[in-house]
Amino acid sequence: MTKIAIIGFGVVGSGVAEVFYKNRQSIEKKAGRELDIKYIVDVRSLEGTVWADKAGTYEQALADPEVGVMIETIGGLTPAYDFSKRALLAGKHVITSNKELVAAHGAELLGIAKENNVNYLFEASVGGGIPIIHPLYQCLGAGEVEEIAGILNGTTNFIMTRMFRDKMSFEQALGLAQDNGYAERNPAADVEGTDACRKICILASIAFGSHVYPDNIHTEGIAALTAEDVAAAASAGYVIKLIGRAKKTEKGLMVMVSPALISQESQLANVSDVFNGILVRSSDTGDVVFYGRGAGKLPTAAAVISDLVDAMKEGGHIDSLGWEDSGRSNVADWRDDVTRMMFRTSGLGRTEIQRIFGTVEPIQGAAQEERAFLTEPVSGRQTEEWIRLAKAAGAEVRSAIRVLEY
Ligand code: HSE
């Protein structure tokens, strides 16, 4: 029998225990061995709960030779990094939902796992209940991945759906996302795009084989988006989504998180509420799209359990999951990214718009003093220059949002 320690008993950790005992028989069958949870480690007391007999400390679990797997669901870097590293060095598998830790230290922890012939697995770190990590390094491993793009944050997608479709206030929508256990402890990480950034960094690291660090990545959140942006986009046949994307270019990996216009015809356009959608574009397979619940207690817990089964079935280290820590020179300058743009401006006539922005496609139905339009493909650098010129001409640039082709 292999014993498990759950380190961190919040939304995900408690979900793991719930899913484990609900499906224990079939999990053991798939894992090919008997399993049980021996320790639950949490800063809060488990006294008076059904889990009281499992309460323990991290040091107890680490020193216990019966414990073969640690499930780290604490989140954040401290003490999760130290706990994970010491567990791997002690020859225990570590399974986590902690995207912050994987995005910051994934290459190192995977290396330690390899040296100790155990696994560091993190299916739950991206896409909640959607299997995406496993397909990316196994099923799609044969072909060359060219590009990944996805709606990777359930909270912001939920907020945008509720605000712009159901006319809820931002505060109400965020509160509901928090009540449902979707949001990060500090929801600024969701709203500012940081969470989506960590996730696209993890996917890019797997797909392209070198560690992509979140603090190298241009990241924009949803705070500046307005109902007017959404209406203008809709008039032109688009929806607006927060998109994390990564692709290979001649100048390096282009990785970015920002709100973007997506055609209403796109497979990503109808991904609403807490759902995530992830498109993987590969030379041989074409576009493959993964869809499902991107956050929430049980979907995320189910992804952790799938890693538990994998670790038990494989026994030793799974060699196909890993990437190099090739420094921070692998990422291209985001200003070299070229996309069409949607602008909303006021204080500029048609002639001035043409003078500054070149050939544009006007969007009908903008407010009277306002002009909304789509540009030809343009670099981030040129976009910054256009905004500068428009402001110098006395105009207000109300929004500048990328248009993506998926
Ligand atoms: N806060 C995250 C989200 C949780 O909303 O997507 C799942 O990673």
Side-chain angles (χ1 to χ4, degrees), residues 85-368:
K85 192 168 171 174
R86 286 162 66 207
L88 293 168
L89 287 167
K92 299 181 195 297
H93 299 287
V94 175
I95 295 167
T96 189
S97 57
N98 188 339
K99 50 252 160 141
E100 186 174 354
L101 181 56
V102 179
H105 294 288
E108 181 196 357
L109 293 171
L110 281 160
I112 297 172
K114 187 173 184 175
E115 279 164 23
N116 291 277
N117 195 31
V118 286
N119 288 296
Y120 184 56
L121 300 177
F122 39 87
E123 183 60 69
S125 66
V126 183
I130 307 170
I132 176 65
I133 305 277
H134 196 270
L136 204 54
Y137 73 82
Q138 292 226 313
C139 321
L140 296 168
E144 182 99 338
V145 172
E146 289 163 359
E147 187 166 356
I148 302 174
I151 295 163
L152 297 169
N153 182 267
T155 300
T156 44
N157 207 39
F158 182 86
I159 291 173
M160 286 162 76
T161 305
R162 295 305 161 115
M163 278 176 72
F164 300 130
R165 192 190 66 190
D166 305 341
K167 313 289 176 233
M168 213 178 246
S169 73
F170 174 85
E171 288 72 23
Q172 267 181 315
L174 173 59
L176 207 50
Q178 287 176 309
D179 290 348
N180 284 323
Y182 302 155
E184 296 301 297
R185 213 171 300 156
N186 176 4
D190 297 296
V191 175
E192 290 168 7
T194 316
D195 179 76
C197 176
R198 291 170 182 149
K199 292 168 176 168
I200 193 65
C201 286
I202 295 171
L203 297 181
S205 300
I206 299 172
F208 304 121
S210 71
H211 196 112
V212 178
Y213 287 91
D215 50 10
N216 261 0
I217 301 308
H218 181 75
T219 301
E220 298 169 21
I222 62 160
L225 276 185
T226 63
E228 289 74 24
D229 294 328
V230 174
S235 303
Y238 294 93
V239 296
I240 301 183
K241 296 287 178 189
L242 183 68
I243 301 287
R245 60 199 167 101
K247 69 176 170 194
K248 259 188 185 163
T249 72
E250 279 172 7
K251 293 181 174 167
L253 299 177
M254 184 60 74
V255 186
M256 204 181 301
V257 175
S258 72
L261 271 69
I262 300 286
S263 162
Q264 286 165 357
E265 309 297 317
S266 163
Q267 297 197 72
L268 297 179
N270 291 316
V271 177
S272 302
D273 269 323
V274 73
F275 286 85
N276 283 188
I278 305 162
L279 178 148
V280 180
R281 190 165 281 175
S282 150
S283 48
D284 301 318
T285 55
D287 288 355
V288 180
V289 180
F290 298 82
Y291 171 83
R293 287 183 179 276
K297 180 175 178 165
L298 298 184
T300 312
V304 170
I305 296 286
S306 78
D307 276 345
L308 172 67
V309 169
D310 263 6
M312 294 296 96
K313 248 184 5 206
E314 298 290 335
H317 180 73
I318 303 170
D319 278 332
S320 47
L321 175 60
W323 58 80
E324 300 294 315
D325 189 5
S326 57
R328 287 159 188 271
S329 55
N330 53 352
V331 175
D333 186 339
W334 68 273
R335 291 175 194 80
D336 289 329
D337 185 49
V338 173
T339 66
R340 295 182 79 199
M341 296 292 296
M342 179 185 83
F343 281 96
R344 287 179 47 241
T345 62
S346 77
L348 287 179
R350 206 167 293 160
T351 321
E352 280 168 304
I353 287 179
Q354 252 183 9
R355 180 178 61 79
I356 297 172
F357 297 91
T359 309
V360 302
E361 185 185 316
I363 296 175
Q364 304 306 324
Q368 216 154 36

Side-chain angles (χ1 to χ4, degrees), residues 21-86:
Y21 284 112
K22 187 163 56 121
N23 303 333
R24 184 174 179 180
Q25 253 187 340
S26 73
I27 292 166
E28 288 181 325
K29 195 166 167 211
K30 286 180 203 147
R33 71 179 81 181
E34 287 182 12
L35 297 165
D36 201 6
I37 297 169
K38 184 163 181 181
Y39 298 101
I40 292 175
V41 178
D42 199 75
V43 283
R44 288 158 298 194
S45 168
L46 298 173
E47 209 54 48
T49 72
V50 290
W51 311 109
D53 65 321
K54 299 190 187 295
T57 66
Y58 170 79
E59 299 303 337
Q60 259 177 319
L62 185 72
D64 190 333
E66 276 194 331
V67 172
V69 185
M70 287 226 192
I71 294 178
E72 183 269 299
T73 43
I74 315 169
L77 299 182
T78 311
Y81 170 65
D82 175 60
F83 282 6
S84 303
K85 192 168 171 174
R86 286 162 66 207

